[in-house]
Amino acid sequence: MEITLMVKTEKYKVTLEEDAKVCDLQQAVAEAINADAGMQKIIFKGTTVSRFPGEFLSEYGMKNGSKLMVIPRENNIEEQRILQKMGEIETQASRTIDNVNVNLEQLDSVLKGFNETDRAVIFLDLKKNFVRLAETLMKQVETIDSITVDGEFQSAKLKRKTLVVKIQSYLDKCDASLEKIP
């Protein structure tokens, strides 16, 4: 598929396979604008797709003729590496949070009286799930805490704080849910 890149006042065309991932796009963009891979912010229909290098372009609805805005980054290379690592952790955390939300819905359903016949089994499964999900979220917080962020890297510090707050709120939801289970 052919994609048009809008970089400041210039336009570039890149060709990618239909099943390409964001990381493939990042590499093609880097070659087109003569920059390091991953050192640009790539936006499609208001979504910063460059934050998710492992995702397929088709997941964002990109197709032949799509137009992307590319913002070259001027940040420190080390800060970009930290931000990229935190982006990967954020992707993992989002998947875990989705699982927490599914379990919260199931718990709410059981507490409202649905599934009366299997209630004990469902509660046991939910308890195990919430404990497992809380442990996963804690490991993600520990991974974030292990990343050293220089005091001058404002973007990385903000990203770190935002991510920890988000994960902590879901840890609290897991704890509250465990208390509701008889």
Side-chain angles (χ1 to χ4, degrees):
M1 74 176 126
E2 187 174 272
I3 294 176
T4 303
L5 307 174
M6 315 281 275
V7 184
K8 297 183 181 177
T9 59
E10 309 215 8
K11 291 183 182 181
Y12 300 88
K13 297 229 184 246
V14 295
T15 303
L16 297 164
E17 298 294 323
E18 294 293 327
D19 62 345
K21 291 187 174 186
V22 173
C23 59
D24 301 323
L25 172 64
Q26 288 175 311
Q27 187 62 43
V29 169
E31 291 171 11
I33 67 171
N34 196 23
D36 293 331
M39 290 302 294
Q40 41 314 102
K41 186 174 192 176
I42 304 170
I43 302 170
F44 179 67
K45 293 186 178 180
T47 302
T48 304
V49 297
S50 52
R51 291 181 17 207
F52 308 104
E55 302 289 328
F56 288 97
L57 298 179
S58 58
E59 293 179 37
Y60 297 99
M62 281 188 222
K63 58 186 186 239
N64 192 39
S66 291
K67 293 180 181 178
L68 307 174
M69 183 166 52
V70 178
I71 303 169
R73 292 189 177 157
E74 305 294 329
N75 290 352
N76 181 304
I77 292 172
E78 182 61 29
E79 183 175 18
Q80 288 307 315
R81 286 189 187 123
I82 292 169
L83 288 169
Q84 185 174 2
K85 178 67 176 164
M86 285 196 212
E88 293 167 5
I89 296 167
E90 183 175 30
T91 300
Q92 294 168 358
S94 292
R95 289 184 185 121
T96 305
I97 287 169
D98 289 344
N99 287 332
V100 170
N101 286 329
V102 167
N103 282 277
L104 287 171
E105 289 174 13
Q106 188 174 7
L107 176 61
D108 186 51
S109 172
V110 174
L111 290 174
K112 287 181 178 175
F114 299 105
N115 300 318
E116 280 294 326
T117 55
D118 301 327
R119 189 176 174 115
V121 173
I122 293 171
F123 277 143
L124 182 62
D125 286 343
L126 285 171
K127 192 173 210 171
K128 288 177 186 176
N129 288 345
F130 281 119
V131 168
R132 180 183 49 80
L133 291 166
E135 288 174 359
T136 302
L137 289 170
M138 279 304 299
K139 287 178 185 174
Q140 290 163 346
V141 169
E142 289 171 3
T143 303
I144 294 167
D145 285 344
S146 72
I147 298 172
T148 304
V149 179
D150 189 293
E152 296 176 14
F153 297 163
Q154 295 302 317
S155 296
K157 285 172 55 177
L158 179 62
K159 179 75 165 181
R160 180 181 184 167
K161 182 174 182 174
T162 303
L163 193 51
V164 168
V165 167
K166 181 178 182 179
I167 292 172
Q168 185 60 51
S169 72
Y170 277 88
L171 275 168
D172 293 344
K173 288 181 182 186
C174 285
D175 290 343
S177 297
L178 285 168
E179 291 177 10
K180 290 180 185 177
I181 297 174

